[in-house]
Amino acid sequence: MHTGITLTFQNLDRARSDHEVIRSEGRYARMAEAAGFDSLWVPEHHFTDYELTPNVPQLLTWVAAQTERLRLGTMVTVLPWQDPIRVAESFLVLDHLSGGRAILGMGRGLGRVEFEGFRVPMGESRQRFVEYSEAVLSGLETGVMEYDGELYQQPRIDLRPDPYASFRGRTFASAVSPESMDIMARLGVGLMVIAQKPWETVEAELETYRRRYVEINGEQPPKPVICVFTGVSDTAAGAQEMRDKYLQRYAMSTVEHYEFDNVGFAQINGYEYYAGLARNIEKHGVEGFAGFLADLQVWGTPDQVVDKLLSYVDRLDAGGVLLVPAFGGMPQDVADKNFDLIAREVLPALKAYDVGGDLGVSYDTPVLA
């Protein structure tokens, strides 16, 4: 089974300098290939302590220069914040420099502070995502950007460098709202499942997505990829601390960054799902919801973590898992031990588990070896 690592570069409460966080987690990027991980992923975020990851293709290009086989994914590139041409150009360059190891993860975004920082109306995000993604996906295949949409108009222009290889089979999108599932099926992309809602709900939505994908595309969709924050300890007490201290703090940072408790989402076109979520938080409390998010992640002894991860894989018929080893304000020594336990005790068991194939990503040797 494909097993990747996700780095978030959180600097909650600015407990350390930004440089220290970047240097510390950057070590894991260099260590991931030797440890046996198949891929490395980085989310895109801006303007807050939540994650120090404003330019993911640039970071992944740095990783590409230090590795030979590690696949390199965005989790996700938020299209409404970008010029579609620059997105396509960034991935074409990354793909050439890495020898075809790039994986395009894309989404439409949720953080209000980020939309405001880029001066993009949140209410336009769904339409922008659809139009931008159609333009980018076409450009990556043909080497030409051309689009005439409601919000995006692009006269025909050649992209250089030319595409290194097709991105079909190595494009994934995050989808949280039920409406987004239909969009992803129409775009013909795989799904990235970031643990944020009950697994039974995810199962039902995946079934809808798969049915629509087959109706539209005439073939089965790529298997989804699951991303979970992962805390491992040799002892039960240490595992519980992973849950109560670090996963809970990560979950609270997610609530704070995305303003999941903001009932004002009801007034923003395309974010009605989150308005319902905010009303639920208003009823049950922020701490309780953060605890719910924390409990969707994975923690325990190595055997417990493997068993729980594989149960999620079987439940969703997933093609791979992405593990986050550093989060929630972990000191460097705690994160280092967590990374080491994941690499030594969890990773081999996951890679040995047969899910019927890899993510469909192929690559050659790096062109700048």
Side-chain angles (χ1 to χ4, degrees):
M1 179 173 62
H2 186 104
T3 307
I5 183 174
T6 298
L7 303 181
T8 62
F9 296 90
Q10 285 197 315
N11 192 15
L12 303 181
D13 307 317
R14 304 205 177 198
R16 296 182 286 172
S17 71
D18 288 351
H19 176 71
E20 185 179 358
V21 172
I22 291 171
R23 181 187 59 79
S24 176
E25 287 204 39
R27 293 180 303 120
Y28 302 142
R30 294 194 299 269
M31 296 160 62
E33 182 165 278
F37 286 99
D38 297 305
S39 59
L40 182 141
W41 304 66
V42 180
E44 177 189 349
H45 282 291
H46 304 264
F47 312 132
T48 74
D49 299 343
Y50 184 60
E51 293 179 12
L52 310 177
T53 52
N55 192 328
V56 181
Q58 180 184 39
L59 192 156
L60 294 178
T61 301
W62 173 76
V63 178
Q66 303 177 73
T67 57
E68 294 184 355
R69 62 164 189 81
L70 198 67
R71 303 173 195 178
L72 309 162
T74 55
M75 199 192 84
V76 296
T77 293
V78 183
L79 295 184
W81 301 339
Q82 321 285 340
D83 181 318
I85 286 181
R86 297 309 297 264
V87 172
E89 288 177 334
S90 294
F91 273 87
L92 290 174
V93 171
L94 174 61
D95 217 33
H96 277 276
L97 294 179
S98 66
R101 290 186 279 147
I103 305 176
L104 172 59
M106 57 186 187
R108 69 182 177 102
L110 177 59
R112 182 172 61 90
V113 64
E114 291 163 305
F115 277 97
E116 290 180 351
F118 285 114
R119 308 172 305 285
V120 175
M122 284 187 72
E124 295 180 358
S125 70
R126 180 172 288 161
Q127 184 66 28
R128 286 185 184 272
F129 175 80
V130 171
E131 295 186 12
Y132 289 10
S133 59
E134 289 176 345
V136 168
L137 292 176
S138 176
L140 290 175
E141 295 304 313
T142 65
V144 174
M145 289 290 280
E146 183 176 24
Y147 199 84
D148 185 17
E150 179 182 340
L151 297 176
Y152 181 54
Q153 296 85 40
Q154 174 58 54
R156 183 181 178 88
I157 191 77
D158 290 338
L159 295 172
R160 301 301 304 278
D162 294 331
Y164 180 89
S166 173
F167 270 81
R168 292 192 179 96
R170 53 179 174 137
T171 302
F172 294 82
S174 64
V176 177
S177 65
E179 295 81 9
S180 296
M181 297 289 179
D182 190 71
I183 293 172
M184 305 315 173
R186 287 191 281 112
L187 290 171
V189 300
L191 284 189
M192 186 181 303
V193 178
I194 301 172
Q196 291 182 346
K197 61 172 66 174
W199 292 107
E200 59 269 19
T201 302
V202 176
E203 281 184 285
E205 291 175 352
L206 274 174
E207 180 57 34
T208 299
Y209 157 79
R210 287 177 173 128
R211 184 173 60 252
R212 286 290 290 146
Y213 192 101
V214 172
E215 289 173 359
I216 295 167
N217 302 289
E219 60 184 11
Q220 291 295 324
K223 290 192 175 188
V225 183
I226 304 172
C227 178
V228 288
F229 287 68
T230 308
V232 189
S233 176
D234 290 321
T235 67
Q240 194 62 44
E241 182 180 40
M242 284 287 184
R243 158 59 181 83
D244 295 341
K245 187 172 184 179
Y246 302 114
L247 285 172
Q248 182 73 13
R249 181 65 187 97
Y250 148 72
M252 278 300 299
S253 73
T254 300
V255 174
E256 293 161 359
H257 179 77
Y258 289 121
E259 299 179 273
F260 280 148
D261 57 343
N262 182 2
V263 295
F265 278 124
Q267 310 303 318
I268 304 175
N269 182 46
Y271 290 89
E272 296 82 4
Y273 168 81
Y274 300 98
L277 187 63
R279 287 192 293 271
N280 189 49
I281 293 173
E282 191 175 45
K283 181 178 179 181
H284 298 289
V286 171
E287 284 286 343
F289 180 73
F292 158 77
L293 282 181
D295 289 338
L296 290 176
Q297 314 310 315
V298 175
W299 74 94
T301 62
D303 287 345
Q304 290 172 330
V305 166
V306 169
D307 288 346
K308 188 176 289 188
L309 286 169
L310 293 183
S311 73
Y312 291 164
V313 168
D314 290 343
R315 188 168 187 173
L316 303 185
D317 190 22
V321 292
L322 313 176
L323 310 180
V324 186
F327 50 85
M330 280 184 183
Q332 183 171 314
D333 62 329
V334 174
D336 284 353
K337 184 175 181 181
N338 194 39
F339 177 92
D340 182 62
L341 281 171
I342 290 172
R344 285 192 297 107
E345 305 292 340
V346 175
L347 177 60
L350 297 180
K351 287 177 63 67
Y353 194 70
D354 186 4
V355 295
D358 205 342
L359 295 183
V361 185
S362 62
Y363 59 89
D364 204 342
T365 53
V367 294
L368 294 186

